[in-house]
Amino acid sequence: MLYYYWSRKGIRPSEIHNMPAGERSLIRAFYELELEERERLARTGNVWATLPAL
């Protein structure tokens, strides 16, 4: 998870480490939700939806 946030979101592991426990739990939940969404889109073959929108 730390590598994911560092490589894709630009958040350093030390920033996550210094967060309060509740905020880290929320970040983890968002991470797991995004993984589930990517897996669902991959199963349906809708790969274009995984591209980041800026």
Side-chain angles (χ1 to χ4, degrees):
M1 181 180 93
L2 294 176
Y3 177 76
Y4 170 82
Y5 276 103
W6 175 68
S7 66
R8 300 251 173 28
K9 310 291 185 184
I11 299 173
R12 295 187 319 259
S14 61
E15 292 178 57
I16 293 177
H17 177 73
N18 292 329
M19 290 178 180
E23 197 169 346
R24 277 195 310 265
S25 294
L26 185 61
I27 292 289
R28 179 69 178 190
F30 288 158
Y31 171 75
E32 291 175 5
L33 181 63
E34 188 167 342
L35 285 181
E36 289 173 7
E37 184 177 326
R38 286 177 180 245
E39 289 174 8
R40 181 182 55 81
L41 291 172
R43 280 193 306 270
T44 62
N46 189 5
V47 295
W48 294 106
T50 61
L51 296 175
L54 297 178

